[in-house]
Structures are given as structure tokens and as C-alpha cells.
Amino acid sequence: MIDLEHVSFSYDGETIVLDGISLRIEQGEFLCVLGGNGSGKSTLAKHLNALFIPDEGRVTVDGHDTADPSYTYLIRSTVGMVFQNPDDQLVASLIENDVAFGPENLGVPTEQLRQRVTDSLAEVGLMGFERKETTALSGGQKQRVAIAGVLAMEPRVLVLDEASSMLDPRGRKGLMRVCQELHEAGMTIVMITHFMEEATLADRVVVLKDGRVCMEGAPQDVLVRADELEGLNLEAPFACEVSSDLRKRGLPVRTEVDEDVLAQAIVDALDTDAFPALDATDDRMAAHETTGGRRLADQAADGTEPATGTAQALKSSPEREDAPAYAASPTSFAAFDAGAGACAPAEGSAVQPLIQFENVSFAYLSAAERRKMKKRARRAGTGPDASAAMGMPAWGNSPDNLWALHDLSFTVHEGDFLGIAGHTGSGKSTLLQLMNGLLEPTHGRVLVEGTDTADKRAATALRGHVGLVFQYPEHQLFAATVYEDVAFGPRNLGLSSGEVDARVRSSLAQVGLSFNELHDKSPFELSGGQQRRVAFAGVLAMSPRTLILDEPVAGLDPRARAEFLELIRGLHEDGLTVVMVSHDMDDLANLCSRLLVLKEGELFASGTPQAVFLQGSALKNVGLGLPAPQRFALALRDAGVPLRPDVLYDRATLVDALAALPWKEVARP
């Protein structure tokens, strides 16, 4: 279907991005392309549908040379491409018009257009959203619209360039389901991804380094080479890491890349007749060995049983060293589903929260509609029942419902590391923009350091205290040099030139960049990872007390992700309060002291990662997943392996627990 022969390409005529690549993609093949940031993956993808033409070599699609302009139209109707950033691909103001744009330009008859739009939106889970405006969508919803627009063209080849990076766990799973169905129906799939679990589903994996193919083969052959992958800024799939850890313990497990295959292999290798019987009392006593276990035991002593499905089961206790600086009411997931529950400061605490939401609702309305809503709000008051008096519609009754958030109450205290999770379109990004006054609540109040953000003058001053880093923070760059970009915020605070210079130097050092090497360079000449660090530095130069991050590591390769997460962890340890939105449950479990989970604009759950992630089935029902170790532990428990249900496992504790079980054949080192 696609043949690349000795393809080389450079953007500037000097730096080689693709260096003599030869690659053959068969009709009906599912090919996964991996590689670190800057390895040439996106450039390769754009050669597959004639967006780029090779400087040297040749690309043919179904026998047609991409360099021949007479075939360009045919090639682009054959190869559909979904970009990493959906904003690069959306062209219309209404969803139905955007999805119809491609097939309409292919000459699809009008009577068929409607069915194609309906079918492709159904494939991506956006049924009934035809008349919704694309500008009102979340990043993940925009990505699904972009995918629907390509599917509506019915291409023979589908190229996905990090198309799942902005999707929630349910969305990623849905995309892979669609890809597998299309693949089984005969479509050729080329997927670029950093999610190793997605790569395991491909027929073949190709790994790029410096514009060349350095590894190639079946997933089971390539993805088990953990040391080589690490050297390429990649990581092995979770199943491979766990099976390797078990093998190092001398346990009879083959290195696997598929979690289901590994789970079955472990079950087969265990001596089930010798399984210990887990007693509930023993569980609680043994659980004292871990932080999560200590919390669980304290919880049991308080009379709150984890088996009841409690999302906010943990209470503050001044004598507990690991207690959070707030008290969460023991509200169940079901109660949160009805919109109840709030996080409040510990009873009797005199500490003022940095950020406080009081019955906050937000709708994307016109100025006139907002004025009318304000009048109704004043008449209705500010209590939790005010939304009914204001005539707010029930959430989720229509795709055209513009309410993004409904009746949220919670607090953020100094020193918190608050994680925010939620399905695509649950209101996460809207919530963040309310935190520093970029948006004003339609109803309720947002207080930052005790000041109402509805006060425009005060809100402007407070933005220096609450630093917001958007999705793809490199898009915040705009100045001619790194120095000017980072200095922009401090200068607008009216600081002296000496203080501005000190802040620029300090913030660049905080993000691990050399002032002497980069200060006079254009930020647009830097690598993607360096650009993201400069954007971080520009926010840190404002000396915020709270750092708000919206999917800060989306689109980064595994090594860059790890480096950025360590950077964020270090900033928190240095005293910054951090609020982070993420679709990666492992990141939230590893970094955060507290989690909020949103469902359709309402507060669904709140608590420590231990409390929230033990509610696996409830999270699955709202489109979220679990950290990989907990997900795998749950699969093993379902298969009869006696792992405790009251422990939030990480990889090390999971391997320890498995190694302690009786195995049929053990040759321990």
C-alpha cells in the first residue's frame, strides 16, 4: 500500500530529519511507529499522504508517486490523517460541518453526507452532538471530532499521529477498538504513539532514532527489549516490566508484553492449592506495613469500612503524621453522583485556603445571557439549592447543554498537590481557568487567598499569585528571545530591571535550563522539550504561590515525561502548591496528595489516591481507569489470585506480593 525508498528530508536544508528511510507498509497492516521526541515520527507521517515531499528518495501510495502533483488529490483521499493537536485540523464552527468537510470535498453526494456524519460521530461516542460548536469542546472532544472527520472520508489508510494523547482512558480504549475493527475490515492503520499498551496491539512495530529505523519487528520481539528502548527515551509495556521483575526473582514467568497473557501465565504458574486464606483482621494488621495500610487501619478504627464504596473515607487527625490538611466528609460515590459533598478545611482550622470554590456553576453563555443569569442568581441566593431556583437544567440531558460545571464546592490549601481527573468534557479545563480569574462563575463564588475573583481589579492582581500552564504550554511562547519571553510577566508586575533579570535567571535554573546558553536564542529554535521548559519558566518568574497545570506532559516521550514530572515534584517540594489535571492515573497516584474526580461537571469523588483508586468499578463507569499496577492487581484478583483488595499497589509492592505467593516451580537466585 505504501512504499518509502531511501527517503531523506530536511526542513532547513541543513538538519536531516529523515535520513534514508526505507519502509514498506502492506495493504491491511496495522503498523505502530515509536520513537522519542525529535526522532522524525510526525515528519514521516506527513510523507504518507503527500503533505511533505522527500528531498531525496521516493514515496508511493498504492503505486502512485507522492511527488507527482497529478496524484495528490487521489493520495489524500486514500490516506486519512489525524494530527496530534486537534486545533490544527478543525475547520468549521459546528461539529456536523467539520465532520462533513472532508467527504464533501471528495464529492460525496449530499444524501450520503448525513449518514456518514452520523455514523462517524457514533464511532467516536459523540452521537447527537452535530449542532454543538467546536469552540465549546474540550481538548479530548475536539480530538474525537477530528478522528470522526477522517473516518467520514472512508480512507483506505488511517494515519494517527499521537491521536490518543488528549483522550481519557475510555477514549483511548474506544479509539483502539475502532482501529481494531477497521483493521479487521481491511483498512491499513499507521499509528504513532507513546503509549506502549497501544503498540502491543499492532502487527508490526517500527522504532525511529535520529530519522532512521533502528528497531523493527513484531511487538513481542521489539517491546521486550527494555534496555534498548530506554536508550531511545522509550519504556517497555507495564506487563514486560512486571514479568521481568518476576523473572529476576527466579519465578517461572516468560517476559510478556500483553497484560492479559501475563495474568494467565501467572495464574497457571501459581500453586493454587497452597494459597493462603486472607482473613479480614489479618488484612488490616498487615496493611499497617504500607502508608495506604496505615490509613486503612485508621479508617477501620473510625468505623468507616472501605468495602462500602466510600470515596472520601479518610479523616484528618492531628496525631497522624500522614494526615492531609483537610477533612473530607465520608460521602459515597453515589452521593457525589447526585452532586453532594464538599472538601472543607479541618474543623477549627484557622488556616485560610489559597483557593475556595463555593457552590460554583459555570455555563458558556453570551454576555446578554450571562447578565440575565446574574440577575436570577441574585434573586436565588447562594445556597446549594439555588441552581434549581435559577432554572438550571439537569446536567447531561442534551449534547447542546452549555453547563460546564455545576455546584462545585472544595478548597485548596497551601502545600497541597491536588490532582484533578475526569472524563473528556467533564469540565477540568474550565475549572482551572476559574481558579485564577480567567473565567468568572455564572453562579457561586471563587475565592483566591480570600478575595472574590468577581472583583475584576483584584482578580487581575491575583493572577500573579496563581500561575496557569495550559495544555501544550509551548503555545504560550511569543517573544523574540527566551529572555524576553520569560521576562514578560515580571515586567508587567512593574518590577525593576534588576529584579526582572534575577527572576529570569532563577526561573530558568528551576526548570533546568542554562541562562548563558539560551537567553538570547529564539524560543522557536529550541526543541519541543526545551520550549515547554521555557513556558514553565515564564510562569514561575511571576513567583506564584499556586501552580496550575493542564495536562502538562501530554505528547512527550516517556523520558521527557519522567523529567517533567520530577521537575513538578521538585517545585512542590520547594513549597509551591500544585493543582494538576491529567488523564494518566499513574501520574496522579504517584504525585498527588489528594484527588478530585469530575463527572459531567459535578464533583464525583474526592480523597487521597488510596481512597479514590480503590473504587475501580466506579471510576470505570465514569470513563476513567486505574494506575497500571492496580489495574493488573485487580485482573489477577478476578482470576482468583489472593491479592488484598484494601491496598493501592505500585509496581514494587505488587511484585513483592506476587513473589510471596506459592509457585509450582521456583528456582530462586
Side-chain angles (χ1 to χ4, degrees), residues 650-662:
D650 58 23
R651 180 174 140 200
T653 56
L654 177 60
V655 170
D656 286 344
L658 291 174
L661 293 173

Side-chain angles (χ1 to χ4, degrees), residues 261-281:
V261 174
L262 176 60
Q264 187 58 55
I266 290 174
V267 171
D268 293 342
L270 288 170
D271 185 356
T272 56
D273 294 333
F275 276 173
L278 289 180
D279 177 75
T281 304

Side-chain angles (χ1 to χ4, degrees), residues 425-445:
S426 61
K428 302 184 297 297
S429 294
T430 301
L431 176 68
L432 296 190
Q433 292 177 64
L434 286 163
M435 284 186 171
N436 77 340
L438 283 179
L439 297 177
E440 183 182 336
T442 307
H443 172 66
R445 294 198 308 166

Side-chain angles (χ1 to χ4, degrees), residues 488-540:
F488 180 81
R491 281 180 178 155
N492 280 308
L493 294 178
L495 302 178
S496 68
S497 59
E499 179 62 22
V500 169
D501 186 74
R503 288 202 182 188
V504 171
R505 292 173 181 271
S506 173
S507 60
L508 286 174
Q510 280 183 284
V511 299
L513 294 178
S514 169
F515 175 88
N516 292 332
E517 292 179 8
L518 300 179
H519 74 280
D520 59 350
K521 287 190 175 182
S522 167
F524 306 105
E525 295 176 357
L526 307 181
S527 68
Q530 287 176 319
Q531 287 184 348
R532 193 163 292 198
R533 288 175 183 265
V534 170
F536 266 52
V539 174
L540 295 175

Side-chain angles (χ1 to χ4, degrees), residues 255-467:
T255 303
E256 299 284 355
V257 299
D258 186 280
E259 289 184 22
D260 292 337
V261 174
L262 176 60
Q264 187 58 55
I266 290 174
V267 171
D268 293 342
L270 288 170
D271 185 356
T272 56
D273 294 333
F275 276 173
L278 289 180
D279 177 75
T281 304
D282 293 339
D283 283 351
R284 293 193 189 104
M285 295 300 293
H288 274 277
E289 300 300 320
T290 66
T291 300
R294 290 197 303 274
R295 291 172 180 160
L296 184 73
D298 291 342
Q299 180 181 342
D302 288 340
T304 308
E305 289 296 330
T308 61
T310 309
Q312 284 187 307
L314 305 182
K315 297 182 178 181
S316 289
S317 173
E319 60 270 14
R320 277 173 51 200
E321 193 175 7
D322 62 340
Y326 68 97
S329 74
T331 307
S332 69
F333 272 93
F336 269 118
D337 201 19
C343 301
E347 186 175 349
S349 173
V351 178
Q352 183 186 68
L354 291 180
I355 301 173
Q356 187 165 0
F357 276 53
E358 297 179 352
N359 307 115
V360 171
S361 297
F362 181 84
Y364 287 97
L365 303 172
S366 67
E369 290 170 327
R370 187 173 293 277
R371 284 193 295 270
K372 292 178 182 179
M373 187 63 71
K374 289 290 185 184
K375 290 179 181 179
R376 288 200 295 270
R378 284 194 293 270
R379 291 195 298 269
T382 59
D385 298 326
S387 59
M390 292 165 59
M392 288 186 181
W395 176 266
N397 61 337
S398 166
D400 293 320
N401 192 353
L402 295 178
W403 290 96
L405 296 172
H406 179 248
D407 201 24
L408 289 187
S409 295
F410 66 91
T411 58
V412 179
H413 287 267
E414 187 146 17
D416 272 354
F417 196 133
L418 177 67
I420 299 177
H423 59 80
T424 296
S426 61
K428 302 184 297 297
S429 294
T430 301
L431 176 68
L432 296 190
Q433 292 177 64
L434 286 163
M435 284 186 171
N436 77 340
L438 283 179
L439 297 177
E440 183 182 336
T442 307
H443 172 66
R445 294 198 308 166
V446 176
L447 304 177
V448 176
E449 299 178 15
T451 301
D452 194 334
T453 59
D455 183 335
K456 297 293 186 183
R457 183 174 297 178
T460 300
L462 287 170
R463 284 182 194 142
H465 299 199
V466 182

Side-chain angles (χ1 to χ4, degrees), residues 21 27 54 101 128 141 178 184 231 270 330 380 437 449 474 533 553 612:
I21 283 184
Q27 165 66 37
F101 181 81
Q141 288 173 322
V178 169
E184 291 169 0
L270 288 170
E449 299 178 15
E474 53 269 31
R533 288 175 183 265
V553 294
V612 172

Side-chain angles (χ1 to χ4, degrees), residues 173-194:
K173 185 177 292 185
L175 175 60
M176 295 310 299
R177 173 189 56 78
V178 169
C179 288
Q180 287 179 292
E181 290 175 354
L182 294 173
H183 175 231
E184 291 169 0
M187 183 180 287
T188 305
I189 308 287
V190 179
M191 172 174 280
I192 295 171
T193 184
H194 286 138

Side-chain angles (χ1 to χ4, degrees), residues 138-182:
S138 69
Q141 288 173 322
K142 287 180 180 179
Q143 189 64 283
R144 288 197 274 169
V145 171
I147 294 168
V150 172
L151 294 179
M153 296 171 66
E154 297 184 353
R156 295 173 60 193
V157 181
L158 179 62
V159 179
L160 302 160
D161 186 5
E162 290 281 354
S164 63
S165 62
M166 297 305 297
L167 299 180
D168 59 31
R170 178 187 289 171
R172 289 201 295 269
K173 185 177 292 185
L175 175 60
M176 295 310 299
R177 173 189 56 78
V178 169
C179 288
Q180 287 179 292
E181 290 175 354
L182 294 173

